[in-house]
Amino acid sequence: MSLSFEGRVVLVTGAGGGLGKAYALAFAERGASVVVNDLGGDIKGGGKSSAAADKVVEEIKAKGGKAVANYDSVEDGEKLIQTALDAFGRIGGILRDRSFARTSDMDWDLIHRVHLRGSFLVTRAAWNHMKNQKYGRIIMTTSAAGIYGNFGQANYSAAKLGLLGLANTLAIEGGKYNIHCNTIAPVAGSRLTETVMPPDLLENLKSEYVAPLVLWLTHEDCRDNGSLFEVGAGWVGKLRWERTKGAIMRHKNSHMSPEDVRDKWDKICDFYDADKISTIGESLQSLVSVLSQVESGEEIGANPTSSVASASGINPEAAVGQKLPPSQFSYSHTQCILYALGVGMSTTDQDSLRFLYENHEEFGCLPTFGVIISQNAMMDGGLSSVPGLNIDLTRVLHGEQYLELYKPLPTSGTLTSHTTIADVLDKGSGAVILLDVHAYNGDELICYNQYSIFVVGAGGFGGKRSSDKARPPVPPPQRAPDAVVIESTTRDQAALYRLSGDWNPLHIDPSFAAMGGFKEPILHGLCSFGFAARHVLKRYADNDPSRFKAIKVRFIKPVLPGQSLQTEMWKEGDRVHLQCKVKETGAVVLSGAYVDLHPASGAAVESLQTGGLQSELVFAEIGRRIKDMGAELVRKVNAVFGWEITKDGQSAAQWTIDLRTGSGSVHKGPYSGKVDVTFTVSDEDFIQVVQGKLNPQQAFFSGKLKIRGNIMLSQKLEVILKDPAKL
C-alpha cells in the first residue's frame, strides 16, 4: 500500500531548488499541503528573490497539489509557521535543508545563525502547535562535514553537528507527544554542486534519490525517532555510536597516572565486541559499574561493561541449580515499623497502629516485609559470581516479584535465606533470571520469594523463552473493579523507604537519576508493591496479617515521589486481582498482580451454613497438609492439579493444587499456566470420595468423576487425601 500524506501540512525550507524542491514536489504528489520556503539566494548566500519559491508552488498547483510560498528567512521562524497556519490551519512536519558555499569571508556567527539558530527558531515556532495536536515529524539536515569533519570547514562542521545534537534532544523531549525528530546527511546534486561536479556524477546524485527516505521518516507509520541516516545515489544507511569496553586504571584510595593510561592504551582503543550506545543513560551506566568495582577492590583492568549480548555471556546449563552463599538478616521491631512507614502507613489511620506501635496488643509485621528479609540475595552482587551468568549488574532490572508466607513474620529475629538459580530464560532483547529464595528461622521455613530479574541486552543465547518454574502474572477479570483505593505518596517516600535497605542512589540523588534518563529520583518498585498489598490487606482481610498468603506483581513503569497510587481490585474467592496506576497520569505501574488470602476463621463453616460448598473445608485442610509437608511433597509429585466443582449441574468453583513450584500451594481459582490433570466432580460426590464412601474408580467409570490430562498422576494425590476422617 502506497504512503499517503493526505491531511498533513509540511514546511520545507530551502525548497526553491535541489533537495528542498524534490521534497516539496514529492510531498505534494502524495497529498500533503506544502509551505515552500526559499529566500531565492544565489550559491554564495546573497540576494533575495521570490522566483524560486513561486516556481515550485506553480509546479505543484499545476499537478493538482496544494502549496503556498514563503520568502522569509529561517531567522524569522514565527513567520514561516504562521504562513502554514494561515494557509492550512496546522503544521505537521518541518524539513530543514539550506546549504551555503564555503566562502572565505563568511564568519562563524553567520554560519551558526543560519544553520543552527535558524533551525532552532523554526522548530521552536512549530513546537507548541505540534504538542497540542499530539503529532509532528521533524527532519534536520546535517552533512558528512558535520559527522566526520572536513578541512577548512570548522564553522560549517560545528553548526551541522550541532543540528544532530539538537535533533537528538528534540527526539527525547518530543517522544511522549508523538513528535519524532530524525536527521539525514544527504549527498545530492544542488545549486552548490552543479558547477564543481561532473555531469555523469550529478546524474547519479539526484535529489529524487533522497526524497523517498524523507517521506518515509515523516510518515505517521514510521516509528524511528532520534536516528541518523546517510543517503544518496539510491542508497540509505543508518549510523550509530560505538564505544570500546575500555579499561579501569585505578584502585580504591589510589591515584591514576598518565602512565596507567599509556599502559592500557591498546585495551582502551580495542573495538572488538564494542558496545552500541544509544542514550546518555547507557553511556553513563558503565561508570556505576566502575565505582562498584573500585569500591570492592576488584582486579584492575576489569571490564566495566561485560558483554551480555553474546552467547558466551549466558550459559543456562551451567547456571540453573547453582546456589548463592546463604545470607542472614537480623532485625528488631524498629525495622518492621520503619518498613511500614516506608510503604505509606500513618498514625492518622488507627488501623495502622498495629504495625506502627510495638506495644499494641496485636503488634505485627506487614507481610510484604518478607521481601526485605531476602532482598540481599538480589542486591549483594552475588549473581555475577555464578558460573554461566557473565552479566553486567548495571543492566539489571527488577521485572517481577512473588512472595509467599508460610506463617506470619516474626517482629524480630535472625532469618537465613538460601538462594537458588531456578531458571534462565532467553527473551531476545534480554535474559530473565529466576531466583528462588527461601528464608528460614532456624529449621522452620518462614517465607519464599521468587525474584524475576531482567538483564537488558543479555538475550540471544538460544535458550527457552518460558519456564514452568516461574510464578506467572495473571490478568484481572474483564469487568469493572470491585474496589478502588487512591493514596498519595509523599515527596520523601523514596527517602524513607530506602532506609529499609535499598540504597540505590537512583531513588535519592537527582544527578544519578538523570544519568538513568529520569528527570528526578523515582520511587522503589517494591515500595509501590507494599502500598498495593496494604490496600488489599485492609480492604479484604481487615488488616489481619495472618490472612495474607501470597502476592505476585509485574513492575511496568516508575512512580515519582509525591504522585498518587490508584489500586484497583477484583475479588474472586480467596484471590484478589489488582492493578496499580499513577492517578495523575493513568500510567499502569503494577500489572498481572494478585494477592492470595487465607479464609477468615470460621468462614468456611459459615459458608456451609448458608448453603455454600462442602468442598471448601476439604481444600482448606489440603492446604494445611501441603504447608506441613512443604518442598519434599513438591519434589515427589511435581505436578499441578485443577479441580472443577459443580453443584446442581452448574460450575460452582475452581481450585488449583500446585505441587510443582516453591513449597506447594492451594488456591481458589484457575491456574494461570498449564495444568497437568483436571478433575470435574460435583460437590456432593467429591465429599463422598474423600470420605471413602465412594470409590474413585467407580466414580470415574460411572461418569461422576471426569479426568482430563495425565490420569496416572492422579494417584500421587493419595498422600494428601489419606486420613479422610480429618478431611
Side-chain angles (χ1 to χ4, degrees), residues 627-666:
K627 181 178 179 181
D628 292 340
M629 297 178 187
E632 181 64 20
L633 178 64
V634 172
R635 188 184 65 80
K636 290 180 178 179
V637 178
N638 191 30
V640 176
F641 303 90
W643 291 83
E644 296 178 359
I645 305 299
T646 66
K647 189 170 185 178
D648 299 328
Q650 302 294 320
S651 178
Q654 289 182 288
W655 287 86
T656 297
I657 300 177
D658 182 357
L659 296 177
R660 182 194 293 154
T661 55
S663 298
S665 64
V666 175

Side-chain angles (χ1 to χ4, degrees), residues 601-628:
S601 299
V605 175
E606 181 183 348
S607 175
L608 291 178
Q609 293 172 344
T610 56
L613 301 175
Q614 300 177 72
S615 52
E616 298 270 352
L617 286 172
V618 176
F619 284 105
E621 174 61 24
I622 290 173
R624 285 189 286 271
R625 292 185 177 189
I626 291 175
K627 181 178 179 181
D628 292 340

